[in-house]
Amino acid sequence: MANSTAKTIYYLPGYGGQLASGLGRALMDRGFDVAGRETRGDFRLLPFDEQIATVGQDLKDHFWHEDAQVICNSFGAYLFLHAQTQLPSFPGRVLLLSPIVGEFTNAEARTSFSPPRPTRLKDLAEAGQFKVPRQCEMHVGEEDWQSIPANVQALGLLTGITATVVPGGGHDLGRDYVGPLLDQWLV
C-alpha cells in the first residue's frame, strides 16, 4: 500500500521491466511511491491495443491532474505515447528516457525491432494531430541505436516536446546522467 506522505509516480519501465528495480528503485530511494505497469508477465501477454488502453485507464483513473508525474523508460515511453494518442493532452508532467518512437535496426549487432504501429506517432505528429502532454521532455543518448536520436529529435520538433541528446550516451543513459536529472526533475 502506498505511503500516505509520499508522492506517487506513475512509472512504465522498458520492455520486460519491473517497477521495483533500476529506475523504479531509484525513485523509491528518493522517497517516492511507484505505481505503473511492469512490462512483463500478464501485462506483456496482452495485445498491444489492450496494453495502451490499460495505461490510458490507469492515467485517467489515478493520475489525471496537474500535479501528476509520469516517468517512462524505453518501450514504456512507447506505450505512454500511444496511450496519449487516445486521450486529451495529459495534464501532468512527463519524463521520457530513451523513448522508443518507432522501429529501429542495428546492422552491426544484427538486430532490429518493429513495435506495433511503428509509424503512428510520426504520422499523427506530421498531421498536427498528436495531443502533446502539458509538460513533457525526452532524453536520448547520442549513441542510442534503439531510440535513434534523430527520430526522437524529429518527433520533438513536430510536437514541441523538448528532446535532449546526451553526449556519449547509449540506450542506458547511466546513473551519472539520470540521477542528477531525477533530482532536478522531481523538485
Side-chain angles (χ1 to χ4, degrees), residues 66-151:
E66 286 186 8
D67 294 330
Q69 294 178 308
V70 173
I71 298 178
C72 307
N73 188 44
S74 188
F75 189 72
Y78 194 70
L79 290 170
F80 172 83
L81 290 169
H82 274 273
Q84 178 62 81
T85 69
Q86 299 178 356
L87 300 167
S89 294
F90 182 71
R93 297 174 62 226
V94 181
L95 177 63
L96 305 177
L97 302 173
S98 302
I100 300 297
V101 296
E103 64 187 347
F104 60 83
T105 301
N106 181 322
E108 216 174 275
R110 293 187 200 177
T111 188
S112 64
F113 178 66
S114 183
R117 301 187 196 142
T119 64
R120 179 149 174 80
L121 300 174
K122 180 182 174 209
D123 293 345
L124 286 172
E126 286 177 341
Q129 297 176 345
F130 185 85
K131 296 172 216 118
V132 179
R134 178 183 65 88
Q135 187 176 347
C136 185
E137 60 186 82
M138 302 183 286
H139 297 257
V140 62
E142 172 182 53
E143 298 171 14
D144 188 338
W145 58 269
Q146 294 175 59
S147 295
I148 307 179
N151 293 352

Side-chain angles (χ1 to χ4, degrees), residues 31-49:
F32 291 87
D33 287 327
V34 175
R37 296 285 168 173
E38 294 191 341
T39 51
R40 62 190 197 125
D42 291 341
F43 181 79
R44 184 173 171 172
L45 296 175
L46 293 173
F48 185 67
D49 286 342

